[in-house]
Amino acid sequence: NAGVTQTPKFQVLKTGQSMTLQCAQDMNHNSMYWYRQDPGMGLRLIYYSASEGTTDKGEVPNGYNVSRLNKREFSLRLESAAPSQTSVYFCASSEHGGDPVLGAFFGQGTRLTVV
Amino acid sequence: QKEVEQDPGPLSVPEGAIVSLNCTYSNSAFQYFMWYRQYSRKGPELLMYTYSSGNKEDGRFTAQVDKSSKYISLFIRDSQPSDSATYLCAMSPPDSNYQLIWGAGTKLIIKP
């Protein structure tokens, strides 16, 4: 039972490089999310996709783009990485349009370092 | 000032102790109050939630919301070393079901 799978688990980028973080869920959830987690800051929402075919900005979208490829997959792209984007990135999914009662299921995270 | 404040800890207690973890918040419109547990190098997992005020119990865990004081608590009875983790509180504003507001987390260490 895989749940939410993120790739890669670790990545080191040079400033200015681009990369795409991949996320896939096998729970048939409608909504998917990308968060970043920094020390002392808690989780901050970057982008979310309420349902297949829609994406919306969260709290900290600058420097990122997303694609909801299909119901299972939601990718996050950094076009020109900056040291400020060094963080742990989490993908999550939930069943009913972000209903907080049902909670979100998280992947194991991608640890990204930009040098 | 952050909307949700949480002491980062670490909070270190002996096995078997009662643990109290807390969050304060500033937005009186928050409706759902959630507690997530995050083990080292893992993603958060939903532990329990409450709606509006009151208490909710699940095994050794009790979640409490005091809306008049804008204060929520998670109590862990008979704490075990396996409870060692970071505990994150999260809250939902009424105008968005997608954007939870998160505390920064409290690191809990249960000493055998």
Side-chain angles (χ1 to χ4, degrees), chain A residues 10 31 33 35 37 40 42-43 45 48 50 57-59 90 97-98 100-101 103-104 106-108 111, chain B residues 2 32 34 36 38 40-46 49 88 92 96-105:
Chain A
F10 302 93
S31 302
Y33 313 80
Y35 287 94
Q37 186 175 36
L43 287 159
L45 184 64
Y48 66 95
K57 295 178 180 179
E59 182 185 354
F90 287 102
V101 173
F106 284 79
Q108 295 214 2
R111 294 182 176 274
Chain B
K2 294 179 184 176
Y32 285 97
M34 286 148 279
Y36 280 78
Q38 184 176 22
S40 180
R41 297 186 176 269
K42 301 288 186 184
E45 55 179 338
L46 181 64
Y49 71 90
L88 304 159
S92 68
S96 173
N97 281 337
Y98 300 95
Q99 301 214 33
L100 297 180
I101 310 300
W102 294 79

mmCIF file of all heavy atoms in Angstrom, chain A residues 10 31 33 35 37 40 42-43 45 48 50 57-59 90 97-98 100-101 103-104 106-108 111, chain B residues 2 32 34 36 38 40-46 49 88 92 96-105:
data_model
loop_
_atom_site.group_PDB
_atom_site.id
_atom_site.type_symbol
_atom_site.label_atom_id
_atom_site.label_comp_id
_atom_site.label_asym_id
_atom_site.label_seq_id
_atom_site.Cartn_x
_atom_site.Cartn_y
_atom_site.Cartn_z
ATOM 1 N N PHE A 10 16.212 12.955 -2.237
ATOM 2 C CA PHE A 10 17.253 13.943 -1.964
ATOM 3 C C PHE A 10 17.708 14.553 -3.288
ATOM 4 O O PHE A 10 17.730 13.878 -4.312
ATOM 5 C CB PHE A 10 18.483 13.302 -1.297
ATOM 6 C CG PHE A 10 18.192 12.604 -0.009
ATOM 7 C CD1 PHE A 10 17.908 11.252 0.009
ATOM 8 C CD2 PHE A 10 18.191 13.303 1.189
ATOM 9 C CE1 PHE A 10 17.632 10.596 1.198
ATOM 10 C CE2 PHE A 10 17.915 12.656 2.380
ATOM 11 C CZ PHE A 10 17.632 11.303 2.387
ATOM 12 N N SER A 31 -7.866 15.765 -4.319
ATOM 13 C CA SER A 31 -7.054 16.953 -4.070
ATOM 14 C C SER A 31 -5.615 16.582 -3.764
ATOM 15 O O SER A 31 -5.342 15.605 -3.070
ATOM 16 C CB SER A 31 -7.631 17.743 -2.896
ATOM 17 O OG SER A 31 -8.969 18.101 -3.157
ATOM 18 N N TYR A 33 -1.530 18.474 -2.951
ATOM 19 C CA TYR A 33 -0.895 19.674 -2.400
ATOM 20 C C TYR A 33 0.625 19.549 -2.469
ATOM 21 O O TYR A 33 1.164 18.457 -2.379
ATOM 22 C CB TYR A 33 -1.277 19.848 -0.919
ATOM 23 C CG TYR A 33 -2.738 19.682 -0.599
ATOM 24 C CD1 TYR A 33 -3.307 18.424 -0.469
ATOM 25 C CD2 TYR A 33 -3.554 20.786 -0.409
ATOM 26 C CE1 TYR A 33 -4.647 18.265 -0.169
ATOM 27 C CE2 TYR A 33 -4.900 20.646 -0.106
ATOM 28 C CZ TYR A 33 -5.432 19.378 0.013
ATOM 29 O OH TYR A 33 -6.766 19.232 0.312
ATOM 30 N N TYR A 35 3.735 21.292 -0.218
ATOM 31 C CA TYR A 35 4.142 22.115 0.908
ATOM 32 C C TYR A 35 5.667 22.183 0.951
ATOM 33 O O TYR A 35 6.360 21.283 0.492
ATOM 34 C CB TYR A 35 3.698 21.477 2.234
ATOM 35 C CG TYR A 35 2.245 21.539 2.563
ATOM 36 C CD1 TYR A 35 1.386 20.485 2.226
ATOM 37 C CD2 TYR A 35 1.713 22.621 3.258
ATOM 38 C CE1 TYR A 35 0.050 20.515 2.571
ATOM 39 C CE2 TYR A 35 0.367 22.655 3.604
ATOM 40 C CZ TYR A 35 -0.451 21.598 3.253
ATOM 41 O OH TYR A 35 -1.781 21.636 3.595
ATOM 42 N N GLN A 37 8.619 22.732 4.117
ATOM 43 C CA GLN A 37 8.790 22.765 5.570
ATOM 44 C C GLN A 37 10.183 23.264 5.892
ATOM 45 O O GLN A 37 11.180 22.657 5.502
ATOM 46 C CB GLN A 37 8.567 21.389 6.190
ATOM 47 C CG GLN A 37 8.588 21.394 7.716
ATOM 48 C CD GLN A 37 8.258 20.046 8.317
ATOM 49 O OE1 GLN A 37 8.628 18.998 7.785
ATOM 50 N NE2 GLN A 37 7.524 20.047 9.435
ATOM 51 N N GLY A 40 11.383 26.048 12.177
ATOM 52 C CA GLY A 40 10.749 27.164 12.860
ATOM 53 C C GLY A 40 9.605 27.819 12.099
ATOM 54 O O GLY A 40 9.022 28.781 12.589
ATOM 55 N N GLY A 42 7.023 25.884 10.285
ATOM 56 C CA GLY A 42 5.857 25.042 10.024
ATOM 57 C C GLY A 42 5.723 24.756 8.549
ATOM 58 O O GLY A 42 6.570 25.138 7.729
ATOM 59 N N LEU A 43 4.655 24.096 8.183
ATOM 60 C CA LEU A 43 4.387 23.775 6.786
ATOM 61 C C LEU A 43 3.745 24.968 6.091
ATOM 62 O O LEU A 43 2.836 25.596 6.633
ATOM 63 C CB LEU A 43 3.449 22.566 6.699
ATOM 64 C CG LEU A 43 4.081 21.222 7.042
ATOM 65 C CD1 LEU A 43 3.010 20.225 7.416
ATOM 66 C CD2 LEU A 43 4.882 20.713 5.868
ATOM 67 N N LEU A 45 1.964 26.134 2.383
ATOM 68 C CA LEU A 45 1.382 25.615 1.151
ATOM 69 C C LEU A 45 1.929 26.384 -0.045
ATOM 70 O O LEU A 45 1.870 27.618 -0.090
ATOM 71 C CB LEU A 45 -0.145 25.737 1.215
ATOM 72 C CG LEU A 45 -0.935 25.159 0.054
ATOM 73 C CD1 LEU A 45 -0.758 23.651 -0.032
ATOM 74 C CD2 LEU A 45 -2.406 25.519 0.207
ATOM 75 N N TYR A 48 -1.833 24.031 -4.681
ATOM 76 C CA TYR A 48 -2.702 22.893 -4.505
ATOM 77 C C TYR A 48 -3.551 22.695 -5.757
ATOM 78 O O TYR A 48 -3.685 23.590 -6.591
ATOM 79 C CB TYR A 48 -3.587 23.039 -3.256
ATOM 80 C CG TYR A 48 -4.602 24.156 -3.303
ATOM 81 C CD1 TYR A 48 -5.916 23.921 -3.711
ATOM 82 C CD2 TYR A 48 -4.256 25.441 -2.900
ATOM 83 C CE1 TYR A 48 -6.850 24.945 -3.737
ATOM 84 C CE2 TYR A 48 -5.186 26.466 -2.924
ATOM 85 C CZ TYR A 48 -6.474 26.215 -3.331
ATOM 86 O OH TYR A 48 -7.401 27.227 -3.355
ATOM 87 N N ALA A 50 -7.309 21.263 -6.380
ATOM 88 C CA ALA A 50 -8.542 20.792 -5.746
ATOM 89 C C ALA A 50 -9.090 19.552 -6.451
ATOM 90 O O ALA A 50 -9.691 18.680 -5.817
ATOM 91 C CB ALA A 50 -9.584 21.898 -5.732
ATOM 92 N N LYS A 57 -2.769 28.813 -6.423
ATOM 93 C CA LYS A 57 -1.637 29.225 -5.604
ATOM 94 C C LYS A 57 -1.966 29.095 -4.129
ATOM 95 O O LYS A 57 -3.087 29.331 -3.706
ATOM 96 C CB LYS A 57 -1.266 30.679 -5.916
ATOM 97 C CG LYS A 57 -0.762 30.897 -7.326
ATOM 98 C CD LYS A 57 -0.460 32.383 -7.575
ATOM 99 C CE LYS A 57 0.042 32.586 -9.006
ATOM 100 N NZ LYS A 57 0.310 34.031 -9.278
ATOM 101 N N GLY A 58 -0.940 28.750 -3.377
ATOM 102 C CA GLY A 58 -1.055 28.734 -1.932
ATOM 103 C C GLY A 58 -0.409 29.963 -1.338
ATOM 104 O O GLY A 58 -0.434 31.043 -1.924
ATOM 105 N N GLU A 59 0.227 29.770 -0.211
ATOM 106 C CA GLU A 59 0.808 30.884 0.547
ATOM 107 C C GLU A 59 2.110 31.388 -0.066
ATOM 108 O O GLU A 59 2.403 32.581 -0.035
ATOM 109 C CB GLU A 59 1.043 30.415 1.989
ATOM 110 C CG GLU A 59 1.606 31.446 2.934
ATOM 111 C CD GLU A 59 1.924 30.847 4.299
ATOM 112 O OE1 GLU A 59 1.599 29.657 4.539
ATOM 113 O OE2 GLU A 59 2.503 31.566 5.136
ATOM 114 N N PHE A 90 7.059 18.515 0.729
ATOM 115 C CA PHE A 90 6.109 17.426 0.934
ATOM 116 C C PHE A 90 4.950 17.551 -0.041
ATOM 117 O O PHE A 90 4.381 18.630 -0.217
ATOM 118 C CB PHE A 90 5.555 17.439 2.359
ATOM 119 C CG PHE A 90 6.529 16.989 3.393
ATOM 120 C CD1 PHE A 90 7.190 17.906 4.187
ATOM 121 C CD2 PHE A 90 6.773 15.638 3.583
ATOM 122 C CE1 PHE A 90 8.097 17.497 5.150
ATOM 123 C CE2 PHE A 90 7.681 15.209 4.550
ATOM 124 C CZ PHE A 90 8.344 16.144 5.325
ATOM 125 N N GLY A 97 -11.993 17.376 -1.711
ATOM 126 C CA GLY A 97 -11.834 18.807 -1.891
ATOM 127 C C GLY A 97 -11.190 19.515 -0.717
ATOM 128 O O GLY A 97 -11.562 20.628 -0.404
ATOM 129 N N GLY A 98 -10.238 18.877 -0.089
ATOM 130 C CA GLY A 98 -9.544 19.556 0.986
ATOM 131 C C GLY A 98 -10.304 19.558 2.300
ATOM 132 O O GLY A 98 -9.982 20.315 3.194
ATOM 133 N N PRO A 100 -10.871 19.292 5.705
ATOM 134 C CA PRO A 100 -9.839 19.084 6.732
ATOM 135 C C PRO A 100 -10.184 17.957 7.690
ATOM 136 O O PRO A 100 -9.316 17.399 8.322
ATOM 137 C CB PRO A 100 -9.789 20.434 7.453
ATOM 138 C CG PRO A 100 -11.102 21.064 7.187
ATOM 139 C CD PRO A 100 -11.521 20.592 5.830
ATOM 140 N N VAL A 101 -11.477 17.614 7.766
ATOM 141 C CA VAL A 101 -11.856 16.537 8.668
ATOM 142 C C VAL A 101 -11.205 15.228 8.268
ATOM 143 O O VAL A 101 -10.805 14.429 9.100
ATOM 144 C CB VAL A 101 -13.396 16.360 8.686
ATOM 145 C CG1 VAL A 101 -13.778 15.132 9.486
ATOM 146 C CG2 VAL A 101 -14.050 17.597 9.259
ATOM 147 N N GLY A 103 -8.425 14.946 6.722
ATOM 148 C CA GLY A 103 -6.985 15.016 6.824
ATOM 149 C C GLY A 103 -6.309 14.817 5.495
ATOM 150 O O GLY A 103 -6.924 14.503 4.491
ATOM 151 N N ALA A 104 -5.024 15.023 5.488
ATOM 152 C CA ALA A 104 -4.227 14.854 4.286
ATOM 153 C C ALA A 104 -3.201 13.753 4.540
ATOM 154 O O ALA A 104 -2.694 13.607 5.650
ATOM 155 C CB ALA A 104 -3.534 16.147 3.910
ATOM 156 N N PHE A 106 0.470 12.396 3.599
ATOM 157 C CA PHE A 106 1.705 12.995 3.126
ATOM 158 C C PHE A 106 2.672 11.945 2.593
ATOM 159 O O PHE A 106 2.709 10.806 3.077
ATOM 160 C CB PHE A 106 2.396 13.750 4.268
ATOM 161 C CG PHE A 106 1.765 15.065 4.604
ATOM 162 C CD1 PHE A 106 0.620 15.130 5.372
ATOM 163 C CD2 PHE A 106 2.326 16.248 4.146
ATOM 164 C CE1 PHE A 106 0.036 16.341 5.688
ATOM 165 C CE2 PHE A 106 1.753 17.469 4.453
ATOM 166 C CZ PHE A 106 0.609 17.526 5.217
ATOM 167 N N GLY A 107 3.485 12.373 1.625
ATOM 168 C CA GLY A 107 4.612 11.575 1.194
ATOM 169 C C GLY A 107 5.756 11.720 2.179
ATOM 170 O O GLY A 107 5.633 12.409 3.196
ATOM 171 N N GLN A 108 6.878 11.084 1.867
ATOM 172 C CA GLN A 108 8.004 11.077 2.795
ATOM 173 C C GLN A 108 8.914 12.276 2.626
ATOM 174 O O GLN A 108 9.844 12.454 3.410
ATOM 175 C CB GLN A 108 8.802 9.783 2.616
ATOM 176 C CG GLN A 108 7.998 8.559 3.000
ATOM 177 C CD GLN A 108 8.850 7.474 3.603
ATOM 178 O OE1 GLN A 108 10.042 7.620 3.779
ATOM 179 N NE2 GLN A 108 8.232 6.345 3.906
ATOM 180 N N ARG A 111 14.239 16.211 0.202
ATOM 181 C CA ARG A 111 15.176 17.172 0.826
ATOM 182 C C ARG A 111 15.992 17.819 -0.277
ATOM 183 O O ARG A 111 16.808 17.162 -0.917
ATOM 184 C CB ARG A 111 16.082 16.455 1.818
ATOM 185 C CG ARG A 111 15.317 15.911 2.987
ATOM 186 C CD ARG A 111 16.170 15.229 4.019
ATOM 187 N NE ARG A 111 15.335 14.838 5.134
ATOM 188 C CZ ARG A 111 15.030 15.630 6.148
ATOM 189 N NH1 ARG A 111 15.535 16.848 6.203
ATOM 190 N NH2 ARG A 111 14.245 15.222 7.115
ATOM 191 N N LYS B 2 2.836 35.329 14.375
ATOM 192 C CA LYS B 2 2.288 34.214 13.614
ATOM 193 C C LYS B 2 0.853 33.965 14.048
ATOM 194 O O LYS B 2 0.481 34.203 15.195
ATOM 195 C CB LYS B 2 3.122 32.953 13.879
ATOM 196 C CG LYS B 2 4.547 33.029 13.355
ATOM 197 C CD LYS B 2 5.288 31.748 13.679
ATOM 198 C CE LYS B 2 6.734 31.821 13.250
ATOM 199 N NZ LYS B 2 7.490 30.612 13.634
ATOM 200 N N TYR B 32 -11.752 23.920 12.457
ATOM 201 C CA TYR B 32 -11.232 22.585 12.731
ATOM 202 C C TYR B 32 -9.826 22.714 13.312
ATOM 203 O O TYR B 32 -9.035 23.538 12.866
ATOM 204 C CB TYR B 32 -11.180 21.749 11.452
ATOM 205 C CG TYR B 32 -12.524 21.256 10.997
ATOM 206 C CD1 TYR B 32 -13.240 21.940 10.026
ATOM 207 C CD2 TYR B 32 -13.069 20.101 11.532
ATOM 208 C CE1 TYR B 32 -14.472 21.489 9.603
ATOM 209 C CE2 TYR B 32 -14.306 19.636 11.111
ATOM 210 C CZ TYR B 32 -15.003 20.337 10.154
ATOM 211 O OH TYR B 32 -16.220 19.886 9.736
ATOM 212 N N MET B 34 -6.512 20.367 14.290
ATOM 213 C CA MET B 34 -5.930 19.063 14.033
ATOM 214 C C MET B 34 -4.561 18.922 14.691
ATOM 215 O O MET B 34 -3.852 19.910 14.870
ATOM 216 C CB MET B 34 -5.768 18.851 12.523
ATOM 217 C CG MET B 34 -7.068 18.590 11.819
ATOM 218 S SD MET B 34 -7.059 19.233 10.145
ATOM 219 C CE MET B 34 -7.430 20.955 10.463
ATOM 220 N N TYR B 36 -1.103 16.635 14.093
ATOM 221 C CA TYR B 36 -0.349 15.702 13.260
ATOM 222 C C TYR B 36 0.900 15.282 14.019
ATOM 223 O O TYR B 36 1.494 16.057 14.779
ATOM 224 C CB TYR B 36 0.069 16.367 11.946
ATOM 225 C CG TYR B 36 -1.014 16.436 10.895
ATOM 226 C CD1 TYR B 36 -2.017 17.387 10.966
ATOM 227 C CD2 TYR B 36 -1.012 15.559 9.821
ATOM 228 C CE1 TYR B 36 -2.998 17.464 9.988
ATOM 229 C CE2 TYR B 36 -1.990 15.617 8.835
ATOM 230 C CZ TYR B 36 -2.979 16.580 8.935
ATOM 231 O OH TYR B 36 -3.950 16.639 7.964
ATOM 232 N N GLN B 38 4.784 13.751 13.405
ATOM 233 C CA GLN B 38 5.795 13.611 12.366
ATOM 234 C C GLN B 38 7.047 12.970 12.948
ATOM 235 O O GLN B 38 7.743 13.577 13.771
ATOM 236 C CB GLN B 38 6.136 14.974 11.747
ATOM 237 C CG GLN B 38 7.112 14.887 10.581
ATOM 238 C CD GLN B 38 7.364 16.234 9.923
ATOM 239 O OE1 GLN B 38 7.170 17.284 10.519
ATOM 240 N NE2 GLN B 38 7.801 16.216 8.666
ATOM 241 N N SER B 40 10.923 11.505 12.609
ATOM 242 C CA SER B 40 12.086 12.068 11.944
ATOM 243 C C SER B 40 12.207 11.570 10.503
ATOM 244 O O SER B 40 12.092 10.370 10.237
ATOM 245 C CB SER B 40 13.345 11.695 12.733
ATOM 246 O OG SER B 40 14.493 12.220 12.127
ATOM 247 N N ARG B 41 12.366 12.487 9.583
ATOM 248 C CA ARG B 41 12.564 12.205 8.163
ATOM 249 C C ARG B 41 11.364 11.503 7.526
ATOM 250 O O ARG B 41 11.508 10.730 6.565
ATOM 251 C CB ARG B 41 13.845 11.422 7.928
ATOM 252 C CG ARG B 41 15.074 12.230 8.342
ATOM 253 C CD ARG B 41 16.368 11.578 7.995
ATOM 254 N NE ARG B 41 17.485 12.458 8.342
ATOM 255 C CZ ARG B 41 18.026 13.336 7.516
ATOM 256 N NH1 ARG B 41 17.600 13.414 6.269
ATOM 257 N NH2 ARG B 41 19.015 14.116 7.899
ATOM 258 N N LYS B 42 10.188 11.762 8.075
ATOM 259 C CA LYS B 42 8.944 11.237 7.509
ATOM 260 C C LYS B 42 7.964 12.379 7.298
ATOM 261 O O LYS B 42 8.172 13.490 7.805
ATOM 262 C CB LYS B 42 8.305 10.208 8.461
ATOM 263 C CG LYS B 42 9.163 9.023 8.792
ATOM 264 C CD LYS B 42 9.289 8.077 7.618
ATOM 265 C CE LYS B 42 10.032 6.819 8.029
ATOM 266 N NZ LYS B 42 10.234 5.918 6.854
ATOM 267 N N GLY B 43 6.890 12.111 6.559
ATOM 268 C CA GLY B 43 5.842 13.098 6.415
ATOM 269 C C GLY B 43 4.910 13.102 7.614
ATOM 270 O O GLY B 43 4.826 12.120 8.352
ATOM 271 N N PRO B 44 4.213 14.201 7.855
ATOM 272 C CA PRO B 44 3.245 14.240 8.956
ATOM 273 C C PRO B 44 2.093 13.257 8.706
ATOM 274 O O PRO B 44 1.749 12.965 7.563
ATOM 275 C CB PRO B 44 2.724 15.685 8.924
ATOM 276 C CG PRO B 44 3.732 16.460 8.131
ATOM 277 C CD PRO B 44 4.294 15.494 7.150
ATOM 278 N N GLU B 45 1.510 12.768 9.801
ATOM 279 C CA GLU B 45 0.328 11.914 9.721
ATOM 280 C C GLU B 45 -0.717 12.442 10.696
ATOM 281 O O GLU B 45 -0.395 12.833 11.822
ATOM 282 C CB GLU B 45 0.679 10.451 10.040
ATOM 283 C CG GLU B 45 1.360 10.256 11.370
ATOM 284 C CD GLU B 45 1.673 8.814 11.683
ATOM 285 O OE1 GLU B 45 1.028 7.915 11.103
ATOM 286 O OE2 GLU B 45 2.561 8.576 12.518
ATOM 287 N N LEU B 46 -1.963 12.449 10.258
ATOM 288 C CA LEU B 46 -3.043 12.962 11.090
ATOM 289 C C LEU B 46 -3.247 12.056 12.294
ATOM 290 O O LEU B 46 -3.443 10.856 12.164
ATOM 291 C CB LEU B 46 -4.350 13.050 10.295
ATOM 292 C CG LEU B 46 -5.555 13.597 11.048
ATOM 293 C CD1 LEU B 46 -5.332 15.057 11.452
ATOM 294 C CD2 LEU B 46 -6.811 13.472 10.199
ATOM 295 N N TYR B 49 -8.466 15.106 15.400
ATOM 296 C CA TYR B 49 -8.961 16.451 15.137
ATOM 297 C C TYR B 49 -10.178 16.711 16.008
ATOM 298 O O TYR B 49 -10.839 15.789 16.481
ATOM 299 C CB TYR B 49 -9.340 16.616 13.659
ATOM 300 C CG TYR B 49 -10.573 15.854 13.275
ATOM 301 C CD1 TYR B 49 -11.838 16.431 13.365
ATOM 302 C CD2 TYR B 49 -10.483 14.536 12.853
ATOM 303 C CE1 TYR B 49 -12.976 15.713 13.045
ATOM 304 C CE2 TYR B 49 -11.606 13.814 12.523
ATOM 305 C CZ TYR B 49 -12.850 14.398 12.624
ATOM 306 O OH TYR B 49 -13.961 13.683 12.311
ATOM 307 N N LEU B 88 2.645 18.532 15.368
ATOM 308 C CA LEU B 88 2.248 19.750 14.675
ATOM 309 C C LEU B 88 0.764 19.987 14.875
ATOM 310 O O LEU B 88 -0.042 19.066 14.704
ATOM 311 C CB LEU B 88 2.517 19.618 13.175
ATOM 312 C CG LEU B 88 3.944 19.281 12.742
ATOM 313 C CD1 LEU B 88 3.955 18.680 11.351
ATOM 314 C CD2 LEU B 88 4.786 20.529 12.755
ATOM 315 N N SER B 92 -8.042 25.159 10.430
ATOM 316 C CA SER B 92 -8.650 25.518 9.147
ATOM 317 C C SER B 92 -9.477 26.786 9.294
ATOM 318 O O SER B 92 -10.364 26.865 10.139
ATOM 319 C CB SER B 92 -9.525 24.376 8.637
ATOM 320 O OG SER B 92 -10.651 24.214 9.447
ATOM 321 N N SER B 96 -11.564 28.812 3.635
ATOM 322 C CA SER B 96 -10.788 27.942 2.750
ATOM 323 C C SER B 96 -10.654 26.562 3.358
ATOM 324 O O SER B 96 -10.221 26.425 4.495
ATOM 325 C CB SER B 96 -9.387 28.508 2.506
ATOM 326 O OG SER B 96 -8.605 27.565 1.776
ATOM 327 N N ASN B 97 -11.040 25.562 2.598
ATOM 328 C CA ASN B 97 -10.846 24.177 3.041
ATOM 329 C C ASN B 97 -9.488 23.643 2.632
ATOM 330 O O ASN B 97 -9.152 22.524 2.958
ATOM 331 C CB ASN B 97 -11.929 23.264 2.452
ATOM 332 C CG ASN B 97 -13.224 23.390 3.214
ATOM 333 O OD1 ASN B 97 -13.217 23.792 4.364
ATOM 334 N ND2 ASN B 97 -14.314 23.051 2.581
ATOM 335 N N TYR B 98 -8.721 24.419 1.898
ATOM 336 C CA TYR B 98 -7.475 23.908 1.346
ATOM 337 C C TYR B 98 -6.254 24.432 2.076
ATOM 338 O O TYR B 98 -5.234 23.782 2.107
ATOM 339 C CB TYR B 98 -7.371 24.285 -0.135
ATOM 340 C CG TYR B 98 -8.500 23.717 -0.951
ATOM 341 C CD1 TYR B 98 -9.637 24.467 -1.226
ATOM 342 C CD2 TYR B 98 -8.433 22.412 -1.412
ATOM 343 C CE1 TYR B 98 -10.677 23.924 -1.953
ATOM 344 C CE2 TYR B 98 -9.478 21.864 -2.145
ATOM 345 C CZ TYR B 98 -10.596 22.631 -2.414
ATOM 346 O OH TYR B 98 -11.619 22.089 -3.137
ATOM 347 N N GLN B 99 -6.339 25.594 2.630
ATOM 348 C CA GLN B 99 -5.155 26.226 3.205
ATOM 349 C C GLN B 99 -5.189 26.119 4.719
ATOM 350 O O GLN B 99 -5.705 26.983 5.410
ATOM 351 C CB GLN B 99 -5.075 27.684 2.781
ATOM 352 C CG GLN B 99 -5.011 27.846 1.279
ATOM 353 C CD GLN B 99 -4.148 29.022 0.848
ATOM 354 O OE1 GLN B 99 -3.163 29.350 1.485
ATOM 355 N NE2 GLN B 99 -4.519 29.667 -0.250
ATOM 356 N N LEU B 100 -4.629 25.051 5.224
ATOM 357 C CA LEU B 100 -4.490 24.913 6.662
ATOM 358 C C LEU B 100 -3.407 25.858 7.172
ATOM 359 O O LEU B 100 -2.448 26.152 6.468
ATOM 360 C CB LEU B 100 -4.111 23.473 7.018
ATOM 361 C CG LEU B 100 -5.122 22.382 6.666
ATOM 362 C CD1 LEU B 100 -4.577 21.024 7.090
ATOM 363 C CD2 LEU B 100 -6.455 22.650 7.322
ATOM 364 N N ILE B 101 -3.575 26.328 8.388
ATOM 365 C CA ILE B 101 -2.562 27.156 9.053
ATOM 366 C C ILE B 101 -1.864 26.266 10.068
ATOM 367 O O ILE B 101 -2.524 25.692 10.946
ATOM 368 C CB ILE B 101 -3.193 28.373 9.750
ATOM 369 C CG1 ILE B 101 -4.128 29.117 8.790
ATOM 370 C CG2 ILE B 101 -2.109 29.296 10.276
ATOM 371 C CD1 ILE B 101 -3.466 29.658 7.541
ATOM 372 N N TRP B 102 -0.537 26.175 9.952
ATOM 373 C CA TRP B 102 0.216 25.206 10.735
ATOM 374 C C TRP B 102 1.062 25.858 11.815
ATOM 375 O O TRP B 102 1.625 26.948 11.609
ATOM 376 C CB TRP B 102 1.163 24.424 9.815
ATOM 377 C CG TRP B 102 0.483 23.558 8.817
ATOM 378 C CD1 TRP B 102 -0.078 23.949 7.643
ATOM 379 C CD2 TRP B 102 0.302 22.145 8.898
ATOM 380 N NE1 TRP B 102 -0.610 22.865 6.994
ATOM 381 C CE2 TRP B 102 -0.382 21.749 7.740
ATOM 382 C CE3 TRP B 102 0.660 21.173 9.846
ATOM 383 C CZ2 TRP B 102 -0.725 20.423 7.493
ATOM 384 C CZ3 TRP B 102 0.324 19.850 9.599
ATOM 385 C CH2 TRP B 102 -0.363 19.484 8.439
ATOM 386 N N GLY B 103 1.161 25.186 12.952
ATOM 387 C CA GLY B 103 2.182 25.532 13.920
ATOM 388 C C GLY B 103 3.513 24.968 13.460
ATOM 389 O O GLY B 103 3.564 24.107 12.580
ATOM 390 N N ALA B 104 4.597 25.445 14.062
ATOM 391 C CA ALA B 104 5.933 25.019 13.652
ATOM 392 C C ALA B 104 6.315 23.653 14.219
ATOM 393 O O ALA B 104 7.299 23.055 13.770
ATOM 394 C CB ALA B 104 6.964 26.063 14.059
ATOM 395 N N GLY B 105 5.534 23.156 15.197
ATOM 396 C CA GLY B 105 5.808 21.832 15.751
ATOM 397 C C GLY B 105 6.566 21.866 17.049
ATOM 398 O O GLY B 105 7.403 22.748 17.264
#
